[in-house]
């Protein structure tokens, strides 16, 4: 299997790329396995947060060029790869990307499907597709622009030059940077913290942030307001507020 699902701790799933011989390059089979993995953990009520990881050496070095070099335009269209990427984007649980080493091309696009990115000091992010005669095709021109702005995104996609983890953090392409040896542990620490919070509120926050980012401000505020009001129908809201008033630790059940 080129994608492995693990449960390193209660309520947290880890989806790990496992193609070390090709630096976790993303071929069609790997993309299909990623989509299936995200659908599985997204539907699992016992999972409240997901960590997406490569190895301690490399996250994902990009698409598998051997799998693409002789393909025709029609073959590429019929692959419907966008549907496989959408399965990741549609995951209702928060996703934390743990990025060690290279996150290039499809690897960078994969990381950008996450909600939080924890990068190691030695990580590098880039969209080098232009250097082999193509362009990003899984969000590299769109998610990147929304994350870092037009001028920084244009420099990355037009030159193919990668940026360091510290540069990524400064421009808004990473949430935090830690020592290379601490990436996986830090991602799991954050996942455990989120998994201990009320899952309905967490999922509503993710849904509203993603749905509202490309809407008008008025429409996005309406989404936020309605989601806020809806949570008052949950048992977790009552539990959270009563626990606060009683000065005790809340127990959230996702109802």
């Amino acid at each position: 299997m080129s994608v492995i699902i693990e449960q390193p701790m209660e309520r947290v799933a880890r989806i790990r790329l496992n193609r070390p011989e090709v630096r976790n390059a993303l071929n069609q089979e790997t993309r299909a396995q990623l989509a299936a993995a995200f659908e599985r953990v997204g539907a699992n009520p016992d999972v409240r947060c997901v960590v997406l990881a490569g190895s301690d050496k490399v996250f994902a070095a990009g698409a598998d060029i051997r799998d693409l070099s002789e393909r025709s335009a029609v073959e590429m269209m019929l692959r419907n790869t966008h549907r496989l990427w959408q399965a990741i984007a549609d995951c209702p649980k928060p996703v934390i990307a743990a990025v060690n080493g290279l996150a290039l091309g499809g690897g960078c696009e994969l990381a950008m499907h996450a909600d939080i990115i924890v990068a190691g000091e030695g990580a590098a992010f880039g969209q080098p597709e232009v250097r082999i005669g193509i362009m990003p095709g899984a969000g590299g021109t769109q998610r990147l622009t929304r994350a870092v702005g037009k001028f920084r995104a244009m420099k990355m996609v037009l030159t193919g030059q990668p940026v360091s983890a510290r540069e990524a953090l400064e421009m808004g392409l990473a949430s935090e940077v830690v020592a290379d040896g601490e990436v996986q542990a830090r991602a799991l620490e954050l996942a455990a913290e989120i998994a201990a919070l009320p899952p309905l509120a967490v999922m509503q926050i993710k849904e509203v942030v993603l749905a509202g980012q490309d809407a008008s401000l008025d429409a996005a505020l309406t989404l936020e307001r309605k989601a806020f009001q809806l949570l008052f129908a949950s048992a977790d809201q009552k539990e959270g507020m009563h626990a606060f008033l009683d000065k005790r630790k809340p127990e959230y059940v996702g109802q």
Side-chain angles (χ1 to χ4, degrees):
M1 294 289 287
S2 56
V3 174
I4 297 172
I5 301 176
E6 303 166 327
Q7 187 154 7
M9 58 181 63
E10 187 180 10
R11 298 172 178 171
V12 173
R14 178 165 56 196
I15 297 175
R16 183 166 57 83
L17 295 168
N18 183 42
R19 299 188 75 207
E21 70 283 0
V22 289
R23 299 190 298 177
N24 290 334
L26 303 172
N27 60 8
Q28 190 71 355
E29 180 183 355
T30 302
R31 291 188 180 98
Q33 289 184 25
L34 272 171
F38 272 94
E39 288 174 351
R40 178 176 166 185
V41 300
N44 186 345
D46 294 327
V47 173
R48 296 187 181 181
C49 193
V50 183
V51 172
L52 172 61
S55 70
D56 292 337
K57 302 296 183 183
V58 60
F59 182 70
D64 192 331
I65 305 305
R66 293 184 184 277
D67 185 45
L68 299 177
S69 61
E70 299 301 325
R71 302 292 178 185
S72 70
V74 172
E75 284 179 304
M76 294 302 293
M77 181 182 70
L78 292 177
R79 283 185 163 203
N80 288 314
T81 304
H82 64 285
R83 295 182 182 175
L84 302 179
W85 286 104
Q86 194 60 40
I88 304 172
D90 287 343
C91 181
K93 315 295 173 65
V95 178
I96 301 172
V99 179
N100 282 103
L102 300 177
L104 302 180
C108 186
E109 290 167 322
L110 179 59
M112 287 191 290
H113 278 71
D115 305 300
I116 295 172
I117 297 177
V118 177
E121 288 279 3
F125 297 82
Q127 300 289 164
E129 290 89 343
V130 69
R131 298 190 174 205
I132 55 170
I134 56 172
M135 62 176 282
T141 64
Q142 302 304 310
R143 283 191 170 86
L144 184 61
T145 302
R146 285 161 171 75
V148 308
K150 170 189 170 182
F151 298 105
R152 283 172 162 166
M154 281 290 199
K155 181 181 178 182
M156 289 179 67
V157 298
L158 289 176
T159 67
Q161 295 176 355
V163 297
S164 68
R166 286 291 170 187
E167 290 173 303
L169 178 65
E170 189 273 331
M171 67 172 59
L173 187 54
S175 305
E176 60 181 82
V177 176
V178 299
D180 289 332
E182 297 174 6
V183 172
Q184 305 295 325
R186 177 56 180 153
L188 289 172
E189 180 183 24
L190 279 171
E193 181 178 346
I194 293 169
L197 296 171
L200 295 179
V202 167
M203 288 190 289
Q204 283 293 289
I205 288 169
K206 173 170 177 170
E207 183 177 347
V208 169
V209 169
L210 295 182
Q213 62 185 350
D214 294 323
S216 69
L217 180 59
D218 284 345
L221 288 172
T222 298
L223 287 172
E224 179 187 75
R225 182 169 64 252
K226 294 301 181 184
F228 171 79
Q229 294 164 353
L230 178 64
L231 289 171
F232 279 78
S234 71
D236 281 348
Q237 173 265 325
K238 301 298 186 293
E239 168 65 10
M241 292 191 174
H242 290 161
F244 176 82
L245 294 173
D246 295 341
K247 296 181 172 57
R248 60 176 174 82
K249 184 178 179 180
E251 293 290 336
Y252 296 118
V253 296
Q255 296 178 0

